[in-house]
Amino acid sequence: VSTVHARAEDAARPAAGTLREKFDVVTARAVARLRVLAEWTLPFARVGGCLVAMKGPDIAEEAAEAGPALKKLGGGEAAFRELVLPG
């Protein structure tokens, strides 16, 4: 397993090398609405890869809003998994 810990906007800069379509899994914390987050992160995922985004309780609304952006970027249907964190 190889990992890269970076802000998407920094990883996209030419100085970071070519990271487009290099990763099976791209992860992100709740940093932006899903449509924006998809634009920042999906270009790093390989074809067939996935984006795992930690989001808040209003994800259904965000996913509906993000649908057109996900489709345009080559992403699939959004799937949800509820995760309850301790504390």
Side-chain angles (χ1 to χ4, degrees):
V1 173
S2 296
T3 63
V4 174
H5 178 138
R7 295 176 59 96
E9 58 272 28
D10 293 337
R13 291 192 176 115
T18 302
L19 297 176
R20 287 184 68 86
E21 298 181 359
K22 296 287 184 191
F23 302 96
D24 295 318
V25 179
V26 178
T27 64
R29 293 181 293 154
V31 296
R33 302 237 0 131
L34 186 56
R35 66 181 169 77
V36 174
L37 191 60
E39 289 182 43
W40 290 346
T41 57
L42 276 180
F44 296 113
R46 295 180 194 272
V47 172
C50 68
L51 165 62
V52 177
M54 184 181 234
K55 301 299 294 173
D58 298 327
I59 186 58
E61 178 184 325
E62 278 193 56
E65 173 188 275
L70 291 171
K71 186 174 182 177
K72 186 174 186 177
L73 292 163
E77 287 286 319
F80 311 104
R81 304 291 185 271
E82 185 173 349
L83 173 65
V84 179
L85 298 175

